[in-house]
Amino acid sequence: MKPASKPSVHDPARGAGRRSARGEAARRRLKEAATRVLDRVGFHQMRVKDVTDEAGVAAGLFYHYFKDLRELVDELLDEHIAGFEAVEAIERDVSKGDWFNRLRAHYEICVRVHAEHPGIMRCIAQFSADDPDFRERWKRSFDRRLHLLIDVFPYVFPKCSLNKAEVELLVHGLGGVGKELMSEYYIDRDPRLRAVELSQAEMAEWLAALLYRGLFARNPPAGQLRYASRILEITRE
Amino acid sequence: MKPASKPSVHDPARGAGRRSARGEAARRRLKEAATRVLDRVGFHQMRVKDVTDEAGVAAGLFYHYFKDLRELVDELLDEHIAGFEAVEAIERDVSKGDWFNRLRAHYEICVRVHAEHPGIMRCIAQFSADDPDFRERWKRSFDRRLHLLIDVFPYVFPKCSLNKAEVELLVHGLGGVGKELMSEYYIDRDPRLRAVELSQAEMAEWLAALLYRGLFARNPPAGQLRYASRILEITRE
DNA sequence: ATTATTATTGAACTTAAATTCAATTTCAAC
DNA sequence: GTTGAAATTGAATTTAAGTTCAATAATAAT
């Protein structure tokens, strides 16, 4: 039932030659099954049979579409990583000088993917710890966003004498703000943290505010805080 | 056929069973070999044979001392995690109200383990992403340190209306500061970050200063900065 | 010196999972 | 409705690693 949808020739995967719409759909069904298995057991416990069972097909069919689990999961992760990289779309409604809202916009997408696809994010963490090539790919995506700040750092802080490499280090240090928390809140779902129910927008704002404080050593503009205004109370004035 | 006399090597109390000094030494040699293999290839690529080869013994000997790789590595990690938990020792020379130096002291030990045993820290990250039980163990160790702050938060910030659970969330958000950077600098050894050569003391001070800013929305006391005084320049006053 | 205990070896065995493939079914085009 | 390409099956095979164990060596105890 697909209108003139292009027969995917772009597929770098092996055996990507001719494939019917029916086959395309089966391939996607396997990927969706894999996503569910990832959420349940994580990459290292996932077996080919888990995926084919979840999809309700025979084990052998897997190899008609994928070389191995790694190929499938790589494709899956790529789809999500691409979302992180759409910097222009992310910052569409924010002015360049408005750092608090820029930070917020980036956290919003990051929080969203964590909340909606915890298995995918856990898998990204697992691959990053394991495989230098994947880590490089993931880090490039992250670096790209950090460089939005690194590249203009000298203009934002004209009095600061840190050189380029030192700024890189500093921004990477701050860039970690929230990663741990998102992982514990959305992937691990730690009950003690879950005691506070936060919407995605609230989580993103809190994290943006924390990073803002680390970066500017002051609070974000009070008027821009929609949920996290109580962060202004955290002070010893 | 010696019913009760034979102390099976598969005894659950393997670690405590009878063992000569010679055996004790061989056991340790396997652990040290495993540490080197971990540094080289990480846990998921590590094979029993890698460890016995590295130690220069036959494959079968491994099972005389350990049930499986996981048991060996668990013991190895425990030894290091214990070091993180010695809070009293860590804070020995610091007064309770001196938050900057308390933060510094905690970062110092964390930086040291990262620098000296990157394979161990990577392995902790791998296990944490994989195994709920281990994650729980590791997080308990981390939480204990975070609670040094969480428990006194209302006294440190008397004007702050956040409740206990919200403070927990906040502190976990800030607690991630530096994890990412230490991982990239010491485990991944990213050349772009390595362009700046930092001593352990310098790294610890920078991270403590960043966290201090996030926590207090201001700079740490200038007089206490030994290496990172240029962080004071990062401001838009 | 004799005996008992523990350490060590490495080839043989076991296991779990990945992978193949010949046979069969489905479907779309003609 | 015939045909052929693609999809699908699942039992059979392969693979890579874990694991055992009978035999031997080293060491300690008496």
Side-chain angles (χ1 to χ4, degrees):
Chain A
M1 279 308 224
K2 281 171 92 173
S5 180
K6 66 209 158 39
S8 61
V9 185
H10 62 282
D11 236 291
R14 89 221 200 34
R18 275 226 276 284
R19 184 172 296 131
S20 68
R22 182 181 159 222
E24 221 34 88
R27 197 167 193 279
R28 174 118 300 271
R29 250 176 277 125
L30 279 170
K31 280 171 132 177
E32 282 159 7
T35 303
R36 291 191 295 276
V37 177
L38 272 185
D39 276 329
R40 233 182 9 251
V41 302
F43 180 74
H44 290 114
Q45 333 297 332
M46 175 162 64
R47 302 288 169 256
V48 170
K49 188 151 189 315
D50 295 333
V51 176
T52 51
D53 282 357
E54 176 78 29
V57 299
L61 187 58
F62 180 89
Y63 296 93
H64 190 65
Y65 294 109
F66 301 99
K67 180 163 79 61
D68 53 24
L69 279 177
R70 181 55 196 250
E71 178 178 284
L72 185 160
V73 176
D74 270 340
E75 283 186 31
L76 219 42
L77 298 191
D78 259 5
E79 293 169 14
H80 290 279
I81 292 177
F84 281 97
E85 289 177 338
V87 172
E88 308 72 26
I90 295 169
E91 297 195 344
R92 194 179 334 141
D93 307 321
V94 186
S95 91
K96 291 294 170 207
D98 181 357
W99 282 98
F100 179 65
N101 280 314
R102 283 180 83 178
L103 297 178
R104 184 215 299 272
H106 284 278
Y107 272 118
E108 270 169 357
I109 180 161
C110 195
V111 166
R112 196 180 73 228
V113 181
H114 271 85
E116 292 173 4
H117 305 285
I120 298 290
M121 293 310 299
R122 172 166 52 157
C123 195
I124 287 177
Q126 290 176 326
F127 280 19
S128 294
D130 265 359
D131 169 12
D133 289 333
F134 180 86
R135 176 169 55 239
E136 193 52 36
R137 157 118 184 70
W138 174 236
K139 255 175 38 185
R140 218 189 336 272
S141 149
F142 187 59
D143 280 7
R144 206 170 132 185
R145 283 171 288 151
L146 289 185
H147 268 271
L148 298 175
L149 173 54
I150 293 171
D151 293 339
V152 299
F153 197 91
Y155 307 103
V156 180
F157 302 105
K159 286 194 231 149
C160 181
S161 66
L162 295 176
N163 66 35
K164 187 102 183 173
E166 289 166 334
V167 169
E168 180 113 20
L169 208 64
L170 175 91
V171 171
H172 272 82
L174 284 170
V177 170
K179 287 204 171 187
E180 190 76 7
L181 180 56
M182 283 187 281
S183 160
E184 288 182 16
Y185 195 87
Y186 296 111
I187 301 176
D188 191 21
R189 303 181 68 85
D190 183 325
R192 239 170 321 161
L193 299 178
R194 285 265 156 188
V196 184
E197 283 176 43
L198 289 182
S199 70
Q200 293 180 22
E202 287 170 309
M203 177 66 88
E205 183 169 302
W206 271 98
L207 294 179
L210 288 180
L211 177 48
Y212 190 98
R213 285 162 65 116
L215 184 57
F216 294 105
R218 58 167 59 175
N219 278 310
Q224 297 185 348
L225 294 169
R226 297 173 208 154
Y227 315 102
S229 56
R230 280 183 300 163
I231 201 173
L232 304 177
E233 301 167 356
I234 306 172
T235 176
R236 299 211 277 187
E237 299 293 356
Chain B
M1 295 300 135
K2 306 136 219 181
S5 70
K6 179 174 182 180
S8 163
V9 285
H10 297 126
D11 200 65
R14 180 191 309 266
R18 268 217 298 278
R19 186 170 297 126
S20 70
R22 180 179 157 224
E24 227 26 272
R27 199 166 191 278
R28 174 118 302 271
R29 251 175 275 126
L30 278 171
K31 279 170 131 180
E32 282 159 8
T35 303
R36 292 191 295 276
V37 176
L38 272 184
D39 276 328
R40 230 181 14 249
V41 303
F43 180 74
H44 291 115
Q45 332 299 330
M46 175 161 66
R47 301 288 169 257
V48 170
K49 190 150 189 315
D50 295 333
V51 175
T52 52
D53 282 357
E54 176 77 28
V57 299
L61 187 57
F62 179 89
Y63 296 92
H64 190 65
Y65 293 108
F66 302 97
K67 180 163 78 62
D68 53 24
L69 279 177
R70 181 55 196 250
E71 179 178 284
L72 184 159
V73 176
D74 270 339
E75 282 186 31
L76 219 42
L77 297 191
D78 259 5
E79 292 168 15
H80 290 280
I81 292 178
F84 281 97
E85 289 177 338
V87 171
E88 308 71 27
I90 294 169
E91 297 195 343
R92 192 179 333 142
D93 308 322
V94 185
S95 92
K96 291 295 172 207
D98 180 355
W99 282 99
F100 180 65
N101 280 312
R102 282 180 84 177
L103 297 178
R104 185 216 299 273
H106 284 276
Y107 272 119
E108 269 168 359
I109 182 162
C110 194
V111 165
R112 195 181 71 227
V113 182
H114 272 86
E116 290 173 5
H117 305 285
I120 298 290
M121 294 310 299
R122 172 165 53 156
C123 195
I124 288 178
Q126 290 176 326
F127 280 21
S128 295
D130 265 358
D131 169 10
D133 289 333
F134 180 86
R135 177 169 53 239
E136 193 51 36
R137 157 117 185 69
W138 174 235
K139 254 176 36 186
R140 216 186 342 267
S141 149
F142 187 59
D143 280 6
R144 208 171 130 184
R145 282 171 288 151
L146 289 185
H147 269 270
L148 297 175
L149 173 54
I150 293 171
D151 294 339
V152 299
F153 197 91
Y155 308 103
V156 180
F157 302 105
K159 287 193 232 149
C160 181
S161 66
L162 296 175
N163 66 34
K164 187 104 181 170
E166 290 166 333
V167 169
E168 180 114 18
L169 209 64
L170 175 91
V171 171
H172 272 81
L174 282 169
V177 169
K179 286 203 172 188
E180 188 77 8
L181 180 57
M182 284 187 280
S183 160
E184 289 182 14
Y185 195 87
Y186 295 112
I187 301 175
D188 190 23
R189 303 181 68 85
D190 183 324
R192 240 171 320 162
L193 298 178
R194 285 267 157 184
V196 185
E197 282 177 44
L198 289 182
S199 70
Q200 294 179 23
E202 289 170 308
M203 176 66 87
E205 184 169 304
W206 272 99
L207 294 179
L210 288 180
L211 177 48
Y212 190 98
R213 286 163 63 117
L215 184 57
F216 294 104
R218 58 167 58 175
N219 278 310
Q224 296 185 348
L225 293 168
R226 298 175 207 152
Y227 315 102
S229 54
R230 280 183 299 164
I231 201 174
L232 305 176
E233 301 167 356
I234 306 172
T235 177
R236 300 211 275 189
E237 297 294 355

